[in-house]
């Protein structure tokens, strides 16, 4: 088990039944920002994402498209899911597929160990099953259908009818872990976050857990149960294990010991799988439970959850083709409180792009570089006598670094950006008050001009370091223009105010050019 010096973070592995939308990208970006921050802080960081490729939903989708499930999965991974990572600038360390041999082999190993330990038995099951969720549903998970489904019960998430299934399956004795899970939640209140998700899950477990059906025999697209190849492993039992099979479980014990446990970033609709079924599985295997499960909110379009099936899905490139990957990343991390639902609109994206990125941070960077080139021939001057204004900015740099790091520790990405933006606003205000363009006209004000320029260069460099996990493309360009020493990603982010430069700046093209139209907004 990790001694706490490592930071292992995961996204869910995403179903390959369709192409990704911005809801998927939102999860990826949030996890990536956290991973980049921890890497830059010097923490031993590992970031995992991937795809979930087994189960009835994938089989039906592939069959409908006239190909085998593996051919369908290969096509979607190559043409949609892996390209998504480049589109939104994701820095994952690993990409796991549940069809990888390293995964399938060690899922069987894990399952065999639970079987040998007496946690698995055979039994008959009848229940309502949602293929979209790949989950048996309780009556409380169903709602009355509307429109074409009026008069029937439908899944509350997918708004489609459920199927009544009767099967003889293998079951996991999850009911044995009710009290242990409640003890976990009580002893470690941070295990499930945010509080709204935690409260829902604690209430669910307090009602008592049923044993979990963990195999299917009505179709064969999945990992074979090791002692009975007429059954395949239930897709969620298979998928959850990716977090340890990718980390070396069953294949590299030393690596697994170093990495595990992980912080799981998931959508709130699948938090129950991760905070109930998953820790129970790990307890049964004698393994440490995850460090934390964070269930973020949904992206809403027109008041509804982002969904391909409801035709509310927006492809990430519809945004990045116009605004760029940095703007995509910044918008979703700043406009939505991580952990709550948030509404997406093209108008809000465009307004924030212009006000906060182009006019706020981007214009600040351009002005500072341009003034140093114009007034002191590109040489970064040394500061002379500091007034309260300069001392205040230096102190603010340190305050902002500490506040942002504390916010990241509690996964409050929006709060981190709010803290950082204090420095953006204060630097812009400082320039307005100090009027370096006037100081440059009087030789007697030369020392004061140099102090002002040195102060704003230093502040902008601190901003570049702090913002590099969020907007890596723009900050890399800015870092080069500032003459920053080394790779910006190697500058210790918890000491961002101690960054070093070569003493000269270079011309900087606009970091966030004017956007004339909003492509894809119709």
């Amino acid at each position: 088990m990790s001694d706490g010096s490592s930071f292992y973070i995961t996204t869910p592995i995403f179903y390959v039944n369709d192409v990704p939308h911005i809801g998927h990208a939102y999860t990826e970006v949030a996890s990536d920002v956290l991973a980049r921050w921890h890497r830059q802080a010097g923490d031993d960081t590992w970031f995992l994402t991937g795809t979930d490729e087994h189960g009835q939903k994938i089989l039906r989708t592939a069959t409908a498209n006239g190909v085998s499930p593996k051919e369908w999965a290969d096509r979607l991974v190559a043409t949609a899911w892996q390209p998504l990572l480049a589109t939104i600038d994701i820095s994952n360390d690993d990409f796991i597929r549940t069809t990888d041999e390293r995964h399938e082999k060690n899922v069987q190993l894990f399952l065999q160990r639970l079987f040998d330990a007496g946690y698995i038995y055979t039994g008959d099951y009848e229940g309502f099953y949602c293929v979209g969720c790949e989950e048996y549903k309780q009556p409380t998970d169903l709602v009355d259908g509307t429109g074409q489904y009026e008069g029937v019960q439908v899944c509350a998430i997918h708004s489609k009818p459920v199927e009544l299934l009767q099967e003889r399956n293998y079951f996991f004795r999850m009911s044995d872990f009710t009290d242990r899970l409640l003890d976990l939640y009580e002893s470690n209140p941070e295990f499930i976050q945010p509080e709204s998700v935690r409260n829902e899950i604690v209430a669910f477990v307090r009602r008592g857990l049923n044993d979990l059906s963990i195999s299917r025999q009505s179709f064969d697209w999945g990992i074979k149960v090791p002692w009975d190849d007429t059954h395949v492993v239930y897709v969620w039992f298979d998928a959850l294990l990716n977090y340890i099979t990718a980390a070396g479980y069953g294949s590299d014990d030393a690596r697994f010991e170093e990495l595990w446990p992980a912080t799981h970033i998931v959508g709130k609709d699948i938090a129950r799988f991760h905070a109930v079924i998953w820790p129970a599985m790990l307890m049964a295997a004698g393994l440490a439970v995850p460090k934390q499960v964070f269930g973020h909110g949904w992206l809403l379009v027109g008041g509804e959850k982002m969904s391909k099936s409801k035709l509310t899905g927006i492809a990430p490139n519809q945004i990045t083709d116009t605004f760029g990957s940095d703007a995509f990343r910044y918008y979703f991390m700043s406009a939505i409180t991580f952990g709550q639902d948030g509404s997406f609109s093209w108008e809000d994206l465009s307004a924030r792009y212009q006000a906060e990125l182009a006019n706020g941070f981007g214009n600040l960077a351009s002005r500072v570089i341009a003034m140093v080139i114009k007034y002191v021939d590109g040489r970064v001057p040394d500061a002379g006598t500091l007034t309260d204004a300069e001392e205040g900015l230096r102190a603010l740099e340190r305050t902002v670094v500490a506040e942002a790091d504390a916010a990241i520790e509690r996964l409050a990405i929006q709060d981190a950006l709010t803290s950082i933006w204090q420095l953006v606003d204060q630097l812009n205000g400082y320039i307005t008050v100090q009027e370096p363009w006037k100081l440059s006209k009087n030789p007697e004000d030369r020392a004061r001009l140099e102090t002002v320029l040195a102060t704003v260069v230093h502040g902008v460099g601190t901003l570049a370091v702090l913002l590099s996990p969020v907007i890596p493309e723009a900050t890399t360009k800015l870092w080069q223009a500032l003459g920053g020493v080394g790779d910006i990603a190697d500058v210790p982010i918890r000491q961002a105010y101690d960054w070093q430069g070569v003493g000269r700046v270079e011309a900087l093209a606009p970091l966030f050019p004017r956007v004339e139209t909003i492509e894809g907004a119709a």
Side-chain angles (χ1 to χ4, degrees), residues 197-211:
V197 175
R198 180 180 185 276
N199 290 342
E200 186 274 327
I201 288 174
V202 170
F204 172 79
V205 176
R206 279 180 179 157
R207 293 195 292 269
L209 297 176
N210 297 321
D211 290 345

Side-chain angles (χ1 to χ4, degrees), residues 7 46 64 170 172 177 182 195 209 221 281 323 328 347 350 398 439 446 463 466 485 510 512:
F7 180 71
W46 195 259
Y170 289 99
F172 169 54
F177 297 91
L182 290 173
E195 188 175 1
L209 297 176
W221 178 237
M281 291 165 59
F323 293 94
F328 183 103
E347 293 77 13
S350 183
R398 290 178 175 269
L439 295 174
R446 180 71 178 190
L463 282 173
L466 287 173
V485 174
F512 299 98

Side-chain angles (χ1 to χ4, degrees), residues 31 42 180 199 313 325 362 425 457:
S31 302
R180 287 184 64 182
N199 290 342
S325 62
D425 293 339
V457 167

Side-chain angles (χ1 to χ4, degrees), residues 230-299:
T230 65
H231 287 249
V232 295
V233 180
Y234 169 48
V235 64
W236 269 104
F237 210 87
D238 158 7
L240 288 164
L241 286 164
N242 91 90
Y243 304 125
I244 62 172
T245 60
Y249 174 82
S251 60
D252 189 339
D253 292 341
R255 183 166 178 270
F256 180 61
E257 187 78 11
E258 178 184 343
L259 288 178
W260 189 254
T263 295
H264 298 314
I265 306 298
V266 301
K268 66 180 182 180
D269 51 330
I270 58 172
R272 189 185 297 179
F273 294 97
H274 289 79
V276 180
I277 298 175
W278 180 221
M281 291 165 59
L282 292 165
M283 289 174 178
L287 300 175
V289 300
K291 178 181 177 182
Q292 188 175 49
V293 176
F294 190 96
H296 68 70
W298 291 339
L299 287 189

